Amino acid sequence: MNAAGFPLLTLLTFLPLVGAAFILTLRGDDKVVAENARWAALWTSLIVFALSLILWFRFDKADAGFQFVEQLDWLSEFGITYHVGIDGISVLFVLLSTLLTPICILSAWDAVQTRVREYMVAFLVLETMMVGMFVALDFIVFYVFFEGVLIPMFLIIGVWGGKRRVYASFKFFLYTLLGSVLMLLAILLLWYRAGTTDIPALFDHSIPPSLQTWIFLAFFASFAVKVPMWPFHTWLPDAHVEAPTAGSVILAGVLLKMGAYGFLRFSLPMLPQASADFAPFIYALSIIAVVYTSLVALAQEDMKKLIAYSSVAHMGIVTLGIFTFNVQGLSGALFTMLSHGVVASALFLCVGVLYDRVHSRDIARYGGVAKIMPAYALVFMLFSMASVALPGLAGFPGELLVIVAAWKVNAWVAFGAALGMILGAAYTLYLYKRVAFGKVTKQDLLGLFDMSPREHLVFAPLIVLAIWMGVHPQTFLSFFEASVTALVARHDAALGAARLAGM
Amino acid sequence: MFVGAVFFPLLGASIAGLFGRWIGDKAAQAASVICMVLAAICGLTAFWQVAFGHAPQTLEILTFIDVGGFEVSWALRYDTLSAVMVGMVTLISTLIHVYSIGYMSHDPSRPRFFAYLSLFTFMMLMLVTADNLVQLFFGWEGVGLASYLLIGFWYEKESACNAAMKAFIVNRVGDLFFMLGLALTFWTFGSIEFSTIFADVQQHRDATFAGLPAYEVICVLLFLGACGKSAQLGLHTWLPDAMEGPTPVSALIHAATMVTAGVFLVARMSPVFEYAPTALAIVTVVGASTALFAATIGCVQNDIKRVIAYSTCSQLGYMFFALGVGAYQGAIFHLFTHAFFKALLFLGAGSVIHAMSDEQDIRRMGGIWKKIPFTYVVFWIGSLALAGVPFFAGYYSKDFMIEAAFAGHGWTARYAWFCGMAAAFLTAFYSWRLIILTFHGEPRADHHTMAHVHESPWVMLGPLLVLAVGAIGAGAVFAPYFIGHDWQQFWNGAIVNAPHNHIMHDAHEVPSWVPLAPTVVGLSGIALAYIMYMFAPSIPGKLASTFRGIYLFLLNKWYFDELYDAIFVRPARALARVLWQKVDAGVIDGVPNGVASLAVEAAHGAARIQTGRVASYAFTMIAGLVVFVSLLVFGAAR
């Protein structure tokens, strides 16, 4: 069995679904149903989060292999089983998902007034899909969850979104689905060759280099869109702009990590040769992402769009780190994924706070907010600084490690990544200046209330995390150290073997 | 005690910043000042114990990062170099805190101000006590943040916000190079902890990077980082604009914290710099050029704080060329004495501004010396120290640096000596131009302002008095230890001079006219200022109209801002628009948007999605990918 003594991961995955089913059975007056749905969703997600904390305490950091493993017969005649488990790479993402869900539900407490029941159901289903994706150890199971995420997200954007929500949700859906179709083909090919879709088993299955190239491209099509890497990023700003606040939070916090997670979980260990061959290409795209999208962010007039573009730039750092193939780079990439999950989510929540009051995302609509909402200004400043990777806050350790690692590969790559430091500071401070500083010129802003207790509660865990991750990143780095070291060792061994065979 | 010196300011900042709204202005202010006083007591004791008791030590606090050999800890390293800085920073900062009680007494958001001041001090202390490059970078960026907050303290002023942003972003340019230098240091030494780096300096001397000696590259990168923080030529543009903050902030930035960080970094890394002669030559030339360049601008500015700001820039140039010729001890000594008289000048200027009802333009001052005699006297003391007039603090350090430049080898040292002498003349000139225009002559302010001219309260004058004592005595008292006979014992290996570097000895063995020369040019600078502004006030105007081109060139600060605006800021903005509206929305979105719009139509009839549209899109994507990838990867591999 596993360390918890009961099927913990399965419980984490499907408990939200139970909560969702319960909410669907609620009957009665609209107002009462809405209120009950809110509480039911909150409690479900909180219980899931509390359960997931077992992972935090019981996870064996010295073990590089999979833990809390569960394996059940499913379609065994096809070599497919229900196989779940976590290792150092996935464990913190499970926790990130379970943490962000209650935060999202709480943040939408007053903001969402239409179809509350359906909204809460969508979020709980989304949680199931996210957790399931990170714990899956079978390709088919993974694929089901990986695609399943799209459905609730598509609905969240399409139903509760802004003016152009239909356009944005279709763009989001088609873009990400199309890449995934190619991945499915690659999975089928792997299954055809190896006779199994079990992920740990596939790690030991070697694939000839020529075939690796094609499978890599198929995976790339899916993951690059999800990350999103330049030039497949244009769905993201639209999706973010139209999504409701909580949708943006999950999108930035967890969904963007799925692509990078895919690279780490599949491309690197299964396709070492192709990964190494394509690395320069990834570097180029990553650097372009960092510089290009930072510049584009500078020109934005919509708060959410600006943060969306900045996400693409941060993800450029992540993909760069992954393809440096050294311990610092991979750790840095993972850390950046986590910190971005916290910081970008918080920034979208910050936008949400203003949007709930003024109903505008237009930067020019604001100015002098620091005067009227001092507590809010402090929180916003904290996360802006975390976003520009100020040392002592969450964004820094990851960026530092990636830049150090990138230098090992090529000094110019490191220089390109570091350019993001300057541009990042420019667009973030420019945003902050226009929103929070200056004289209050819009009279209606004078009547705004500072953050409510509920909003304080929403931000509190994220603030703690942002500072904790910045001051003592080792707490988090120690989770993935063993797994990353093993991954790098395996990658080097595989390349070494290939080189010997080639001689 | 060692911990207290660093963390009391953080405690003060937290109390004032987080709870200021609940405990009230007075309590918040008191909390942060008391914490600073405690920190100063700890800091000065630490200075005494470490520097004179010869008891350096390192306190480990917490692991920061430990990934695959990349090990970093939070730790406090106390050797003479950091102890000097800790003692100086805590003392000056405490005085500035006390002064601010009076200066900011009318400001509605005092808790915020004191929180920022204490935070600033904390970050600087983390910087100077770092035992590795990452912690140093933490403090480095931290002072960047604190300066950003303080310069933009009056955030309702558009110009203050812009100045704050400019300071942060220009600093970031330097930080980029710092970060790269840090990366190369790690890959060269396998560590970024100072003790390991310094122990292994001999081992890796032959290491190369891209065909260049690795030490040279590391040092040039770190120096570029230092240029950002210490406002050296090219990255100096933020410093004069930083005047937008309240005056005590300027004093803190210019005297104790922030700008001295770059000088500190080079001195800290002296074991590596010693084996990077080319990098040192670059440091010398940039420093010397900055010293002269900033002094020329200082001569024509009309804002009282701006003149002093350029003088800081120029003095930092001095420190850098001293570092460049290998006289690290001299640079740190000047940093130390400079802290006293620069803080004195800034706070004195604050007192003047306070008296003149927030007027900063010296063309609208004059004739006030009788009304504010105390301020007038301390201003004189500060200027005498700045100009290096004998037996004031600046005399010992500045003369030593100029002598070191004279004793140094190669054309760079010659150049530094020449620039140093010229700048010494200009320094004396602009200092007395400032004194005369500010305090003497006919009153040029309106009656209303003149009627209100008054001496500042004691809470402001007290710190001035302490600083004045420092500006008079700090040089004479400490010179024997910092640069005199006992320097080896005093520094106790905190700063390393390589065996081939005899500058500390040679600087004392120069011909006898050399030590006299700076005093002579200094006095003649003062004389010239008297002639031009006191006795024949028509000369400056005539000069300005005769040499209009030069005058405007200087007045507009060599057009650096305009230049950067034209080559960086505007193109970046234009590019940003083009990339967004043309490339992003046009090209990248163009292809899928065609499909996407079809898909939106298809939303009414889902069947159409499954019939070929998707496939054609997928095909386009794949085809594009394949072409792109094969070009890039296989083309590049060949």
Side-chain angles (χ1 to χ4, degrees):
Chain A
M1 204 53 209
N2 62 58
F6 62 96
L8 174 64
L9 294 181
T10 303
L11 204 59
L12 288 180
T13 311
F14 293 105
L15 199 60
L17 220 49
V18 175
F22 171 74
I23 293 175
L24 279 177
T25 63
L26 293 173
R27 288 287 176 270
D29 179 36
D30 271 356
K31 247 196 151 89
V32 180
V33 169
E35 196 60 29
N36 287 338
R38 283 187 190 118
W39 281 108
L42 183 62
W43 275 112
T44 310
S45 60
L46 282 177
I47 291 168
V48 172
F49 175 62
L51 278 175
S52 68
L53 283 178
I54 296 175
L55 297 179
W56 175 264
F57 293 110
R58 299 290 297 275
F59 183 82
D60 180 5
K61 295 177 184 173
D63 183 359
F66 290 100
Q67 305 177 29
F68 299 92
V69 176
E70 297 162 35
Q71 193 158 16
L72 294 174
D73 249 10
W74 187 27
L75 302 165
S76 43
E77 61 268 39
F78 298 106
I80 302 168
T81 55
Y82 172 78
H83 190 185
V84 295
I86 50 166
D87 67 351
I89 292 173
S90 53
V91 56
L92 292 180
F93 292 104
V94 174
L95 283 159
L96 184 67
S97 310
T98 57
L99 171 71
L100 285 179
T101 307
I103 289 179
C104 282
I105 289 170
L106 204 57
S107 78
W109 208 256
D110 298 327
V112 172
Q113 293 294 349
T114 52
R115 296 171 184 266
V116 178
R117 188 171 66 170
E118 288 77 5
Y119 187 84
M120 295 300 161
V121 168
F123 264 93
L124 290 177
V125 173
L126 190 57
E127 183 173 19
T128 291
M129 297 300 170
M130 294 186 301
V131 174
M133 194 213 73
F134 284 122
V135 301
L137 285 185
D138 185 283
F139 244 131
I140 297 300
V141 178
F142 172 81
Y143 188 77
V144 168
F145 286 119
F146 191 77
E147 293 306 300
V149 168
L150 293 182
I151 301 163
M153 201 64 214
F154 171 75
L155 293 174
I156 289 169
I157 298 175
V159 177
W160 292 274
K163 288 193 192 75
R164 296 173 70 218
R165 57 179 184 260
V166 176
Y167 167 75
S169 60
F170 271 88
K171 195 171 179 182
F172 162 73
F173 196 85
L174 287 179
Y175 240 112
T176 47
L177 186 71
L178 284 167
S180 308
V181 170
L182 294 170
M183 183 172 76
L184 185 61
L185 285 176
I187 292 175
L188 290 177
L189 181 64
L190 281 174
W191 171 72
Y192 180 73
R193 283 182 52 91
T196 177
T197 50
D198 196 54
I199 291 167
L202 282 172
F203 284 168
D204 300 328
H205 177 81
S206 75
I207 304 165
S210 55
L211 193 59
Q212 281 193 19
T213 307
W214 291 106
I215 299 180
F216 185 90
L217 284 176
F219 280 165
F220 179 81
S222 171
F223 298 146
V225 170
K226 272 269 163 58
V227 166
M229 290 176 75
W230 187 89
F232 312 110
H233 64 280
T234 50
W235 64 270
L236 184 72
D238 283 319
H240 266 309
V241 164
E242 299 307 327
T245 302
S248 291
V249 170
I250 291 291
L251 195 54
V254 183
L255 264 56
L256 291 194
K257 310 302 167 324
M258 289 163 50
Y261 175 74
F263 279 126
L264 272 169
R265 178 59 86 222
F266 306 115
S267 301
L268 245 56
M270 290 181 195
L271 314 165
Q273 190 62 49
S275 302
D277 290 343
F278 279 101
F281 169 65
I282 304 275
Y283 297 153
L285 289 190
S286 304
I287 298 301
I288 293 174
V290 170
V291 176
Y292 174 103
T293 49
S294 296
L295 278 170
V296 173
L298 202 56
Q300 295 308 311
E301 280 140 19
D302 181 307
M303 289 196 272
K304 270 190 158 177
K305 227 171 187 168
L306 196 153
I307 302 171
Y309 274 110
S310 90
S311 291
V312 182
H314 282 115
M315 287 297 124
I317 297 280
V318 171
T319 47
L320 175 62
I322 291 174
F323 283 84
T324 57
F325 310 116
N326 58 39
V327 179
Q328 286 85 9
L330 287 173
S331 304
L334 275 164
F335 198 88
T336 307
M337 284 158 75
L338 286 173
S339 69
H340 180 264
V342 171
V343 174
S345 305
L347 282 175
F348 278 114
L349 286 169
C350 285
V351 175
V353 167
L354 285 182
Y355 186 80
D356 288 349
R357 288 163 173 71
V358 186
H359 298 288
S360 171
R361 297 180 312 261
D362 205 1
I363 296 173
R365 183 72 185 69
Y366 297 93
V369 170
K371 188 97 188 156
I372 313 156
M373 305 166 68
Y376 170 76
L378 182 66
V379 172
F380 192 18
M381 171 60 80
L382 179 88
F383 288 111
S384 299
M385 284 298 154
S387 173
V388 302
L390 192 85
L393 293 172
F396 175 67
E399 205 161 299
L400 170 76
L401 287 169
V402 171
I403 289 175
V404 168
W407 181 280
K408 179 81 177 167
V409 174
N410 182 326
W412 289 109
V413 172
F415 180 78
L419 268 183
M421 284 173 53
I422 303 175
L423 294 169
Y427 65 72
T428 311
L429 295 185
Y430 190 42
L431 167 71
Y432 193 85
K433 183 197 129 188
R434 284 179 291 171
V435 172
F437 288 163
K439 275 203 168 62
V440 187
T441 47
K442 318 284 186 303
Q443 288 309 311
D444 59 330
L445 292 182
L446 285 172
L448 297 187
F449 292 109
D450 207 346
M451 296 207 299
S452 69
R454 180 181 58 81
E455 283 165 336
H456 278 288
L457 199 63
V458 166
F459 280 109
L462 298 176
I463 292 172
V464 171
L465 273 177
I467 295 174
W468 185 0
M469 291 176 85
V471 174
H472 195 233
Q474 189 59 26
T475 322
F476 302 87
L477 289 167
S478 63
F479 271 94
F480 36 81
E481 194 175 359
S483 295
V484 164
T485 313
L487 179 57
V488 171
R490 191 164 53 211
H491 180 82
D492 290 345
L495 284 189
R499 213 167 291 134
L500 281 180
M503 275 202 303
Chain B
M1 177 189 68
F2 291 113
V3 177
V6 176
F7 285 95
F8 271 124
L10 180 65
L11 180 68
S14 312
I15 296 175
L18 298 178
F19 306 107
R21 254 183 304 158
W22 288 280
I23 59 177
D25 290 1
K26 277 254 151 56
Q29 185 175 302
S32 88
V33 173
I34 290 169
C35 284
M36 267 323 295
V37 172
L38 290 173
I41 294 169
C42 292
L44 292 172
T45 326
F47 170 59
W48 186 259
Q49 278 195 4
V50 175
F52 295 102
H54 308 298
Q57 49 180 302
T58 304
L59 301 170
E60 290 269 337
I61 298 178
L62 195 68
T63 309
F64 183 57
I65 295 177
D66 178 5
V67 176
F70 189 86
E71 291 171 36
V72 185
S73 306
W74 295 107
L76 302 181
R77 176 192 171 101
Y78 275 93
D79 56 12
T80 305
L81 180 58
S82 16
V84 166
M85 296 294 288
V86 169
M88 183 275 284
V89 170
T90 48
L91 176 65
I92 304 273
S93 176
T94 305
L95 294 173
I96 291 170
H97 271 74
V98 173
Y99 178 92
S100 304
I101 296 176
Y103 191 83
M104 300 299 286
S105 58
H106 304 301
D107 199 277
S109 38
R110 270 177 293 161
R112 191 160 61 91
F113 182 76
F114 280 91
Y116 290 170
L117 273 192
S118 294
L119 181 71
F120 205 154
T121 315
F122 165 70
M123 290 298 181
M124 189 65 194
L125 291 168
M126 285 302 275
L127 194 162
V128 297
T129 55
D131 92 320
N132 58 65
L133 281 173
V134 172
Q135 189 185 332
L136 202 149
F137 191 66
F138 166 78
W140 190 265
E141 288 276 89
V143 292
L145 167 71
S147 66
Y148 164 76
L149 294 171
L150 280 168
I151 296 167
F153 180 73
W154 287 314
Y155 56 75
E156 291 182 54
K157 264 168 67 183
E158 179 76 16
S159 56
C161 295
N162 290 337
M165 263 178 69
K166 187 172 171 185
F168 196 89
I169 293 168
V170 173
N171 266 300
R172 273 262 155 155
V173 177
D175 297 349
L176 179 153
F177 294 106
F178 187 114
M179 195 86 143
L180 297 178
L182 190 156
L184 180 58
T185 309
F186 175 68
W187 293 116
T188 307
F189 291 96
S191 170
I192 47 168
E193 300 210 341
F194 292 135
S195 46
T196 321
I197 296 175
F198 299 162
D200 293 352
V201 164
Q202 297 296 339
Q203 239 174 3
H204 301 286
R205 272 182 68 185
D206 302 325
T208 55
F209 170 76
L212 300 167
Y215 285 11
E216 300 279 12
V217 182
I218 291 175
C219 291
V220 168
L221 286 171
L222 290 180
F223 171 63
L224 286 172
C227 278
K229 214 63 354 157
S230 291
Q232 291 301 287
L233 194 58
L235 293 177
H236 66 281
T237 50
W238 65 272
L239 188 64
D241 286 17
M243 296 298 105
E244 289 291 342
T247 307
V249 175
S250 315
L252 198 55
I253 290 180
H254 287 254
T257 62
M258 186 99 179
V259 295
T260 56
V263 181
F264 171 80
L265 173 68
V266 177
R268 174 51 90 207
M269 293 299 282
S270 61
V272 183
F273 270 88
E274 280 295 85
Y275 297 102
T278 315
L280 281 179
I282 294 173
V283 174
T284 315
V285 172
V286 172
S289 309
T290 309
L292 184 58
F293 148 84
T296 58
I297 297 179
C299 292
V300 297
Q301 295 301 312
N302 290 320
D303 184 314
I304 182 167
K305 282 166 75 180
R306 223 167 252 268
V307 176
I308 309 176
Y310 276 104
S311 105
T312 307
C313 209
S314 164
Q315 299 303 310
L316 287 166
Y318 274 98
M319 295 178 211
F320 272 102
F321 78 63
L323 295 168
V325 298
Y328 307 97
Q329 291 86 347
I332 296 294
F333 188 39
H334 193 58
L335 191 161
F336 180 76
T337 57
H338 176 257
F340 286 99
F341 57 76
K342 190 49 60 79
L344 179 64
L345 283 174
F346 260 115
L347 297 184
S351 183
V352 171
I353 295 166
H354 200 69
M356 296 294 291
S357 316
D358 294 330
E359 178 59 72
Q360 299 194 11
D361 193 330
I362 50 177
R363 285 169 299 188
R364 288 196 286 275
M365 293 184 182
I368 53 173
W369 71 275
K370 273 186 193 151
K371 296 195 175 185
I372 45 173
F374 188 94
T375 307
Y376 177 64
V377 170
V378 296
F379 221 90
W380 259 87
I381 295 172
S383 299
L384 287 167
L386 173 64
V389 171
F391 314 120
F392 286 89
Y395 165 73
Y396 295 91
S397 51
K398 203 172 188 176
D399 260 26
F400 181 79
M401 291 191 299
I402 293 176
E403 286 157 26
F406 187 85
H409 305 287
W411 65 270
T412 52
R414 298 273 138 207
Y415 174 71
W417 183 79
F418 166 76
C419 288
M421 290 295 285
F425 175 76
L426 294 173
T427 306
F429 172 74
Y430 67 66
S431 298
W432 265 263
R433 169 179 176 266
L434 186 64
I435 288 185
I436 295 165
L437 287 179
T438 306
F439 294 100
H440 293 277
E442 288 296 307
R444 293 180 295 276
D446 54 48
H447 285 294
H448 188 68
T449 314
M450 284 308 286
H452 273 92
V453 173
H454 57 281
E455 192 62 276
S456 303
W458 270 106
V459 70
M460 287 165 72
L461 299 182
L464 287 177
L465 192 63
V466 179
L467 288 170
V469 172
I472 296 170
V477 173
F478 288 101
Y481 303 105
F482 278 76
I483 52 167
H485 268 295
D486 305 328
W487 67 272
Q488 267 169 325
Q489 211 185 351
F490 178 77
W491 289 104
N492 199 13
I495 292 177
V496 173
N497 293 104
H500 59 75
N501 179 355
H502 306 295
I503 194 90
M504 290 301 291
H505 179 256
D506 293 349
H508 291 294
E509 304 289 319
V510 290
S512 57
W513 61 271
V514 176
L516 268 178
T519 310
V520 172
V521 294
L523 290 175
S524 44
I526 297 175
L528 182 68
Y530 263 98
I531 293 169
M532 280 177 65
Y533 292 97
M534 199 83 162
F535 305 124
S538 57
I539 297 180
K542 275 186 203 151
L543 278 178
S545 51
T546 323
F547 302 102
R548 185 136 193 91
I550 297 175
Y551 176 71
L552 283 179
F553 184 65
L554 293 179
L555 190 67
N556 288 301
K557 302 158 269 180
W558 292 33
Y559 294 103
F560 262 102
D561 282 328
E562 289 74 6
L563 185 70
Y564 285 171
D565 196 51
I567 61 176
F568 294 123
V569 181
R570 270 179 229 217
R573 285 198 178 178
L575 187 63
R577 293 221 153 260
V578 170
L579 287 181
W580 174 35
Q581 284 165 346
K582 299 282 178 334
V583 183
D584 228 45
V587 181
I588 297 179
D589 240 11
V591 184
N593 250 354
V595 185
S597 57
L598 277 177
V600 173
E601 282 169 33
H604 304 292
R608 275 175 64 197
I609 298 180
Q610 293 169 344
T611 60
R613 297 296 174 197
V614 170
S616 72
Y617 180 30
F619 181 75
T620 325
M621 251 175 92
I622 295 220
L625 259 178
V626 171
V627 172
F628 201 24
V629 166
S630 36
L631 274 179
L632 219 121
V633 175
F634 303 106
R638 213 160 283 146

